[in-house]
Amino acid sequence: MGVAEDSEPPLKRVKGPLEESKSLLEDHSTTKFVSCSLGGQMARPLTSQGDGETIGSQGVIRKAEFIKIITRALYSLGYDKSGALLEEESGIPLHSSMVNLFMGQVTNGKWHDSVATLRTIGLSDEIMKSASFLILEQKFLELLKMEKVAAALDTLRNEIVPLYVNLDRVHKLASCIISPSQYIRLGISGQDTEGTKG
C-alpha cells in the first residue's frame, strides 16, 4: 500500500544527526549514571550503628525486626528451610517461645491448654475473646465431626456463648446440632487438626 520497507539496520534508521548521538555516548555524566547500577548498591552489607541493634546508613532499621521480616517472607514463600536457617544463624526467632507453644497446642487440638496459654500472651481483652472464640469454634466443629453431640453442646453453652462474641455465628453453630447440612454450609475445611485432646 505504498509503504516502502526499510532494509537498513535499526541503528542506521536513527533520524537525528549522527554527531549528536556520538556526543551523547561520549558524555561522562551518562556513562557515570549507567555504571552506578543498583546491583552494586544492593550487594553492600547494611552497616550497624553504634550498639549493633540498628542497621542502615540512617540507623532507623532495627536489626531484629528486619530479620523477622525476612524470615516471615521466606516462610510465606515456602522456603521453610531457609527461614529456619535464618532464625538459627541470627539467633532471632520469628515467634516467642510462648507463641510457638500456643501454635503447637492449637495445631494438636489441645483446646483447653491453648485458651489458657492465650491468656498468658498479654493480648487485649477484645483480641483474646475473639481468638478464644475461633479456637472454641474449631473445638465445637470437631466434636460434631466425631459425633460427640453432647460435648459439642456443652462447649457451645459453657465456653462459646459466655464470650459474647459474634452472636450470629453462635446461632449458626447451634443450628449445626439440629441440622447436619448446616455444618457443611459453614465451610468446614479439610484443614482440621488431628482431633480433640482437651
Side-chain angles (χ1 to χ4, degrees), residues 30-47:
T30 306
T31 55
K32 186 188 289 184
F33 177 73
V34 172
S35 67
C36 183
S37 69
L38 286 178
Q41 299 251 344
M42 298 296 280
R44 285 188 310 176
L46 292 172
T47 56

Side-chain angles (χ1 to χ4, degrees), residues 4 9 16 30 34 37 47 61 67 87 89 109 121 123 140 187-188 194:
T30 306
V34 172
S37 69
T47 56
I61 303 170
I67 290 173
E87 283 186 85
E89 283 186 11
I121 292 178
L123 302 170
F140 170 83
I188 309 308
E194 293 173 10

Side-chain angles (χ1 to χ4, degrees), residues 8-61:
E8 291 189 23
L11 288 176
K12 291 196 174 189
R13 285 189 230 150
V14 176
K15 299 288 184 194
L18 187 57
E19 294 306 314
E20 262 183 55
S21 301
K22 286 182 182 176
S23 68
L24 281 176
L25 289 175
E26 292 171 0
D27 184 16
H28 292 301
S29 64
T30 306
T31 55
K32 186 188 289 184
F33 177 73
V34 172
S35 67
C36 183
S37 69
L38 286 178
Q41 299 251 344
M42 298 296 280
R44 285 188 310 176
L46 292 172
T47 56
S48 293
Q49 297 290 319
D51 59 3
E53 294 297 317
T54 59
I55 55 176
S57 60
Q58 303 294 318
V60 295
I61 303 170

Side-chain angles (χ1 to χ4, degrees), residues 123-196:
L123 302 170
S124 72
D125 191 47
E126 184 180 338
I127 292 173
M128 200 219 28
K129 280 184 175 183
S130 295
S132 295
F133 178 86
L134 294 173
I135 292 167
L136 294 170
E137 177 186 38
Q138 187 64 34
K139 174 185 177 182
F140 170 83
L141 293 171
E142 289 192 21
L143 287 169
L144 280 182
K145 185 178 179 181
M146 295 184 303
E147 298 180 5
K148 296 182 177 182
V149 178
L153 184 59
D154 184 59
T155 297
L156 185 65
R157 283 182 181 163
N158 300 319
E159 297 178 73
I160 295 175
V161 171
L163 292 172
Y164 297 107
V165 175
N166 200 350
L167 295 179
D168 288 336
R169 183 71 174 179
V170 171
H171 293 144
K172 289 178 183 175
L173 293 174
S175 68
C176 289
I177 293 173
I178 299 167
S179 171
S181 63
Q182 182 67 22
Y183 177 80
I184 294 168
R185 274 187 244 137
L186 284 177
I188 309 308
S189 69
Q191 298 176 339
D192 294 333
T193 59
E194 293 173 10
T196 302

Side-chain angles (χ1 to χ4, degrees), residues 110-130:
K110 297 181 178 179
W111 312 119
H112 180 68
D113 294 341
S114 63
V115 171
T117 301
L118 184 63
R119 291 187 180 120
T120 65
I121 292 178
L123 302 170
S124 72
D125 191 47
E126 184 180 338
I127 292 173
M128 200 219 28
K129 280 184 175 183
S130 295

